[in-house]
């Protein structure tokens, strides 16, 4: 776990986004409902996460803020079910845009709760990001779906729940050395919400068949275990807008994996959307430059600036040598 802390958090976020971007493909290959996929995505992850969390507890001690992790998981479970319902009613393109309103909501939550101001560069990049996501998700050329009003409502709710999950994950992970325990707790919360919300609404099939179980197991290992452990390790070390921006790579990577795995051929508009997202991520994700001494706030009047004694003596010797 200590080795993970030495890796650039931006690389961790990108790797996590890559794992999660495969989720849509594996979900489609499983052929089950979104409620069933959400349940098995969480349930099949528990046998892997539980031993990791136990080993981590012995090394790093018990996890604090466990209630926050469970609350985050409840929001994640709601996101998984609502997003699937949105896709069915409004189409994948609009649903993808709506769920990615997190790129705006997460920084707003950080500003309201933590007083963390987003950069001006990020504000300029947001419209470009959302336009690129819309095009990459196939919004152009797709109809509005069978029930656009309900689909937009479900997609917006899914985006808000997703943003809440990311924000709580970031807050709960600050100053913590745990990686497996928070994902385990949030996975339990997500599974409970998937059953509570998905079972009465969409139905949950507890016997989907062996072929579907194989795809769901792959979905669980990539999207739930690897993806969220990497993202959970990255978000507490990134600014709110930077983490949310890097996660916008998911739809771009989903287009790439769809072409590689399913043989899907993205159109020119989708490729242009991917290029827009990449350009916006590059712009908004650029780290802030360190301020130079001349840019720092001036010291109050009367403040005495002390230099290191060795530096002062070296400067004095240099002046003496110059005068000689």
């Amino acid at each position: 776990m200590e080795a993970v802390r030495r890796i650039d958090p931006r690389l961790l976020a990108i790797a996590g986004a890559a794992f999660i971007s495969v989720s849509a493909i594996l979900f489609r290959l499983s052929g089950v409902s979104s409620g069933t996929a959400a349940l098995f995505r969480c349930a099949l992850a528990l046998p892997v996460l539980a031993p990791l969390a136990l080993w981590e507890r012995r090394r790093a001690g018990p996890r604090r803020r466990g209630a926050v992790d469970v609350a985050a998981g409840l929001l994640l479970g709601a996101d998984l079910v609502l997003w699937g319902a949105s896709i069915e009613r409004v189409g994948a393109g609009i649903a993808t845009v709506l769920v990615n309103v997190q790129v705006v909501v997460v920084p707003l939550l950080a500003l309201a709760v933590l007083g963390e101001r987003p950069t001006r560069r990020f504000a300029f990049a947001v419209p470009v990001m959302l336009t690129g996501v819309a095009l990459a998700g196939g919004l152009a050329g797709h109809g509005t779906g069978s029930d656009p009003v309900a689909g937009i409502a479900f997609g917006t709710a899914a985006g808000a729940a997703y943003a809440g999950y990311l924000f709580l994950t970031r807050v709960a992970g600050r100053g913590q050395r745990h990686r497996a325990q928070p994902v385990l707790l949030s996975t339990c919360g997500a599974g409970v919400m998937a059953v509570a919300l998905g079972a009465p609404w969409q139905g949950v099939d507890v016997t989907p068949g062996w072929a579907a179980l194989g795809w769901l197991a792959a979905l669980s290992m990539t999207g739930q275990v690897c993806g969220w452990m990497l993202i959970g390790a990255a978000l507490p070390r990134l600014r709110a807008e930077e983490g949310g921006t890097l996660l916008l790579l998911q739809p771009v990577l989903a287009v790439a994996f769809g072409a590689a795995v399913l043989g899907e051929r993205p159109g020119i508009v989708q490729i242009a959307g991917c290029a827009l997202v990449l350009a916006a991520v590059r712009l908004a994700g650029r780290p802030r430059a360190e301020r130079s001494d001349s840019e720092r706030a001036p010291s109050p009047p009367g403040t005495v600036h002390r230099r290191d004694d060795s530096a002062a003596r070296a400067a004095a010797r240099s002046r003496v040598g110059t005068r000689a």
Side-chain angles (χ1 to χ4, degrees), residues 1 46-57 180-181 225 229:
M1 297 300 177
L46 296 181
V48 176
L49 291 172
L52 289 175
L54 181 61
W55 174 79
E56 186 179 73
R57 181 184 176 90
Q181 291 182 64
V225 177
M229 284 190 67

Side-chain angles (χ1 to χ4, degrees), residues 47-175:
V48 176
L49 291 172
L52 289 175
L54 181 61
W55 174 79
E56 186 179 73
R57 181 184 176 90
R58 291 173 178 169
R59 288 178 59 106
R63 165 73 174 171
R64 294 183 297 169
R65 306 169 187 166
V68 180
D69 296 324
V70 174
L74 294 174
L75 292 174
L76 177 62
D79 162 54
L80 296 175
V81 176
L82 289 169
W83 189 43
S86 177
I87 292 175
E88 294 171 357
R89 289 163 175 80
V90 81
I94 296 177
T96 300
V97 177
L98 292 172
V99 79
N100 277 293
V101 298
Q102 59 85 13
V103 75
V104 178
V105 177
V106 172
L108 290 178
L109 288 173
L111 174 62
V113 179
L114 305 175
E116 186 177 303
R117 292 183 176 275
T119 63
R120 186 178 302 176
R121 184 170 57 241
F122 170 77
F124 289 144
V126 164
V128 181
M129 293 181 205
L130 294 180
T131 301
V133 169
L135 298 177
L139 178 58
H142 283 65
T144 55
S146 60
D147 190 352
V149 175
I152 290 172
F154 293 149
T156 303
Y162 184 40
Y165 169 75
L166 294 176
F167 177 74
L168 290 180
T169 298
R170 181 171 179 264
V171 170
R174 284 186 164 184

Side-chain angles (χ1 to χ4, degrees), residues 306-318:
R306 300 180 181 275
R307 293 188 299 174
D308 181 72
D309 290 342
S310 59
R313 288 194 295 269
R317 287 195 297 269
S318 175

Side-chain angles (χ1 to χ4, degrees), residues 103-313:
V103 75
V104 178
V105 177
V106 172
L108 290 178
L109 288 173
L111 174 62
V113 179
L114 305 175
E116 186 177 303
R117 292 183 176 275
T119 63
R120 186 178 302 176
R121 184 170 57 241
F122 170 77
F124 289 144
V126 164
V128 181
M129 293 181 205
L130 294 180
T131 301
V133 169
L135 298 177
L139 178 58
H142 283 65
T144 55
S146 60
D147 190 352
V149 175
I152 290 172
F154 293 149
T156 303
Y162 184 40
Y165 169 75
L166 294 176
F167 177 74
L168 290 180
T169 298
R170 181 171 179 264
V171 170
R174 284 186 164 184
Q176 299 290 308
R177 298 170 55 194
H178 305 84
R179 296 292 173 263
Q181 291 182 64
V183 178
L184 173 64
L185 293 173
S186 63
T187 298
C188 292
V192 169
M193 180 57 75
V195 173
L197 189 60
W201 183 14
Q202 301 172 341
V204 172
D205 184 5
V206 295
T207 57
W210 290 110
L213 278 176
W215 294 118
L216 292 172
L219 168 63
S220 178
M221 293 304 102
T222 55
Q224 194 63 29
V225 177
C226 297
W228 289 123
M229 284 190 67
L230 289 166
I231 292 172
L235 290 182
R237 298 164 57 193
L238 294 169
R239 291 184 57 80
E241 75 270 17
E242 190 175 11
T245 298
L246 290 173
L247 292 184
L248 279 187
L249 293 173
Q250 292 177 44
V252 175
L253 294 170
V255 170
F257 286 130
V261 178
L262 301 179
E264 297 177 344
R265 292 189 175 182
I268 298 299
V269 174
Q270 281 186 290
I271 294 174
C274 293
L276 275 179
V277 172
L278 293 175
V281 168
R282 180 70 181 90
L283 173 64
R286 189 179 303 166
R288 288 182 170 181
E290 290 293 329
R291 293 185 302 174
S292 62
D293 291 339
S294 61
E295 294 173 327
R296 292 172 182 161
S299 302
T303 301
V304 177
H305 296 276
R306 300 180 181 275
R307 293 188 299 174
D308 181 72
D309 290 342
S310 59
R313 288 194 295 269

